[in-house]
């Protein structure tokens, strides 16, 4: 068998040595040789050093491909869970870059020089934008729900409609989170219909109950013979019975997006106004910020959550926190278009179509046949399942759509496209401003088989 040091010194592994480090390449070489030795013992041919090195190079490439990379999102899904959900706006990105490479007064009041409250600006802004008494930010909305139930309802019953015992994806299932929090789930109603009277009956049978939990049916829709109690009516019941009304909104819209045809996404402010005591939501769904979870609501309850020991374990990191502050500042200043997701949702169709036409001409000049056409974009991110946005983009018709898409993903600027009926579609609503040149270059490279 070739010796390990000869394998790792092989010229074909120069790139791997540089990018993964000699230690990782040595470990890969050992593991490859180990496997080959078994093969030889079983009567296989003894491989030469070139063969071993080429297998090590292949595994090194797989390892490098695990690294997250910046990509161009041509899928038409604005909040793509596999692509990191909301891209940050310029201001938020700048705030992250500034904080990342230096020290930040994250828990220090610069006026007094004394310790300050972490997240104070973001929380004050969220409370104001939600019309709530107070707010708390944590690592994500899953953490917010866990914290909410754990600190306000552990050991007690929480009433949930059978139509709202949802799975969000990524292992987040309401009954499981509830069990982990220590709260006891009491299911009411049926899959399709739950009335206020169902909650009332459940409360009769559970005198020690802590809360009613409402969960937004974000990633699916029930149509036909369905009923869900009026929010105000449920709040009145909770108040009359002395229990809390808690709400997991999933994707929390701070602005009403119904003018853009996205009226199905509940607005946080409306939920607070309807009487929910605490509402939690993600900051990287339609809000358009970094990963995070927000709890907004009554001050006494938010304070209770703030001082819970779990909160320290679920706290938001410094970089997302400064990104969230900058994102919320754009809301406060009345500049929603500084938030890329909102800008993409609000962009007039004519502008989107003009961009697709510009891509088509740029490609035509470089001998790549494409057609501009109307498309349908999605908000995504587990939110707004049926609510679509009129969009536009280009279609290419390579002989092998799957192979072409793989080449698009494999280039220096990876592009994610959508395949529909054998054509490869790139949606102009989800490609970010400023990415046009890189997109066209990537399409030309992939079309000509140069990647
Ligand atoms: C997305 C979602 C969550 C989880 O939020 P993360 O920020 O991804 O942790 C929880 N509940 C609902 C209803 C959701 O839609």
């Amino acid at each position: 068998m070739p010796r390990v040091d000869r394998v790792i010194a092989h010229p074909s592994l120069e790139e791997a040595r540089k990018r993964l480090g000699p230690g990782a390449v040595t470990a890969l070489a050992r593991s490859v040789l180990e496997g080959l030795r078994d093969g030889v013992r079983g009567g296989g041919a003894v491989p030469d050093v070139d063969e071993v090195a080429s297998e090590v190079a292949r595994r090194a490439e797989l390892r490098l491909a695990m690294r997250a990379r910046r990509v161009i999102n041509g899928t038409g899904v604005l909040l793509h869970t596999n692509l990191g959900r909301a891209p940050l706006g310029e201001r938020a990105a700048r705030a992250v870059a500034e904080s990342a490479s230096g020290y930040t007064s994250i828990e220090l009041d610069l006026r007094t020089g004394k310790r300050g409250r972490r997240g104070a600006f973001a929380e004050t802004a969220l409370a104001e934008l939600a019309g709530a008494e107070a707010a708390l930010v944590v690592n994500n909305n899953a953490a917010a729900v866990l914290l909410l139930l754990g600190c306000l309802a552990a050991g007690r019953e929480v009433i949930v409609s059978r139509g709202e015992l949802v799975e969000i994806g990524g292992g987040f299932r309401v009954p499981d989170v509830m069990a982990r929090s220590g709260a006891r789930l009491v299911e009411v109603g049926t899959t399709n219909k739950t009335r206020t009277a169902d909650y009332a009956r459940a409360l009769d049978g559970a005198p020690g109950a802590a809360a009613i939990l409402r969960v937004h049916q974000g990633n699916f829709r029930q149509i036909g013979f369905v009923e869900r109690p009026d929010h105000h009516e449920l709040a009145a019941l909770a108040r009359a019975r002395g229990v809390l009304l808690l709400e997991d909104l999933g994707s929390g819209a701070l602005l009403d997006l119904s003018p853009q045809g996205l009226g199905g996404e509940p607005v946080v402010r409306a939920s607070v106004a309807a009487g929910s005591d605490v509402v939690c939501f993600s900051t990287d769904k339609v809000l358009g910020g970094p990963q995070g979870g927000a709890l907004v609501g009554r001050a006494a309850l938010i304070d209770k959550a703030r001082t819970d020991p779990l909160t320290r374990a679920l706290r938001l990191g410094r970089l997302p926190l400064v990104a969230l502050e900058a994102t919320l500042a754009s809301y406060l200043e009345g500049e929603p278009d500084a938030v890329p997701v909102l800008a993409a949702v609000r962009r007039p169709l004519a502008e989107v179509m003009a961009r697709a036409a510009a891509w088509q001409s740029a490609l035509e000049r470089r001998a790549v046949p494409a057609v501009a056409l109307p498309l349908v974009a999605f908000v995504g991110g587990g939110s707004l399942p049926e609510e679509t946005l009129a969009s536009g983009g280009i279609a290419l018709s390579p002989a092998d759509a799957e192979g072409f898409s793989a080449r698009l993903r494999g280039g220096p600027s990876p592009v994610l496209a959508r395949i529909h009926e054998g054509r490869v579609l790139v949606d102009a609503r989800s490609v970010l401003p400023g990415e046009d040149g890189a997109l066209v270059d990537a399409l030309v490279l992939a079309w000509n088989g140069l990647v």
Side-chain angles (χ1 to χ4, degrees), residues 56 58 116 139 186 286 379:
V56 174
R58 196 186 64 83
N139 188 50
V186 176
V286 287
V379 176

Side-chain angles (χ1 to χ4, degrees), residues 85 140-142 168 172 215-216 248-251 282 284-285 292 382:
R85 290 198 188 144
N140 55 20
N141 187 34
I168 308 307
F172 184 96
V215 183
H216 178 55
D248 175 9
L249 271 194
S251 182
S282 290
D284 55 343
K285 289 185 178 172

Side-chain angles (χ1 to χ4, degrees), residues 33-409:
L33 283 167
E34 191 77 19
L36 290 171
R37 217 168 267 131
D38 289 346
V40 171
R41 274 194 210 104
V46 177
D48 64 19
V49 68
D50 295 338
E51 285 170 299
V52 180
S54 115
E55 176 58 14
V56 174
R58 196 186 64 83
R59 293 215 203 162
E61 207 161 291
L62 287 178
R63 176 83 66 88
L64 285 164
M66 291 176 189
R67 271 188 78 163
R69 294 190 50 196
R70 167 80 185 245
V71 301
I72 295 175
N73 176 11
T75 62
V77 180
L78 302 181
L79 295 166
H80 200 301
T81 300
N82 305 143
L83 301 180
R85 290 198 188 144
L88 296 177
E90 230 167 83
R91 274 176 79 173
R94 214 175 323 119
V96 170
E98 269 176 26
S99 172
S101 55
Y103 296 100
T104 308
S105 63
I106 199 150
E107 284 180 31
L108 187 99
D109 185 335
L110 285 174
R111 293 161 316 156
T112 60
K114 299 231 163 58
R115 191 192 168 109
R117 177 156 69 83
R118 188 185 180 93
F121 178 84
E123 289 171 357
T124 309
L126 275 168
E128 194 167 303
L129 291 161
E133 290 173 13
L136 175 67
V137 293
V138 290
N139 188 50
N140 55 20
N141 187 34
V145 177
L146 181 67
L147 177 62
L148 185 67
L149 295 169
C151 84
L152 299 178
R156 297 168 68 191
E157 288 84 9
V158 173
I159 321 292
V160 188
S161 159
R162 292 197 168 91
E164 298 176 14
L165 291 172
V166 303
E167 168 170 330
I168 308 307
F172 184 96
R173 299 176 126 191
V174 170
D176 298 345
V177 174
M178 176 99 56
R180 196 71 181 78
S181 75
R184 283 199 294 274
L185 170 64
V186 176
E187 301 177 17
V188 293
T190 62
T191 306
N192 55 326
K193 282 204 176 212
T194 305
R195 303 182 181 88
T196 305
D198 294 319
Y199 289 92
R201 246 191 323 276
L203 288 169
D204 290 341
I212 290 172
L213 175 71
R214 272 181 121 231
V215 183
H216 178 55
Q217 300 174 326
N219 52 2
F220 70 105
R221 182 138 313 178
Q222 292 186 317
I223 54 167
F225 194 59
V226 294
E227 190 174 336
R228 204 180 176 214
D230 173 70
H231 196 160
H232 291 87
E233 208 177 284
L234 202 57
L237 173 72
R239 226 172 298 123
R241 300 298 188 93
V243 299
L244 299 172
L245 178 58
L246 308 176
E247 188 162 25
D248 175 9
L249 271 194
S251 182
L254 289 179
L255 293 182
D256 181 6
L257 297 174
S258 44
Q260 282 73 40
L262 304 178
E265 201 48 40
V267 180
V268 178
R269 176 176 277 279
S271 229
V272 171
S276 288
D277 293 299
V278 182
V279 177
C280 56
F281 52 94
S282 290
T283 60
D284 55 343
K285 289 185 178 172
V286 287
L287 190 150
Q291 179 187 309
L295 297 99
V296 301
R298 283 173 35 211
L301 301 172
I302 296 293
D303 273 345
K304 197 155 181 223
R306 190 188 305 288
T307 51
D308 191 287
L310 196 54
T311 303
R312 174 60 182 80
L314 302 176
R315 83 174 182 195
L316 189 60
R318 166 168 62 107
L319 300 181
L321 183 54
V322 296
L324 182 60
E325 284 188 356
T327 305
L328 294 170
S330 296
Y331 277 94
L332 291 175
E333 290 164 20
E335 290 187 22
D337 287 336
V339 179
V341 169
L342 295 181
V345 165
R346 292 155 52 90
R347 189 160 293 130
L349 181 60
E351 228 174 84
V352 177
M353 291 303 299
R355 196 172 179 210
W359 292 349
Q360 182 193 328
S361 343
L363 288 167
E364 202 171 84
R365 284 195 294 278
R366 295 169 70 177
V368 176
V371 289
L373 76 176
L375 292 174
V376 172
F378 304 86
V379 176
S383 52
L384 311 158
E386 290 212 316
E387 287 170 310
T388 53
L389 293 155
S391 188
I394 49 168
L396 289 89
S397 305
D400 169 16
E402 293 286 350
F404 179 71
S405 292
R407 287 201 296 282
L408 272 178
R409 292 192 307 271

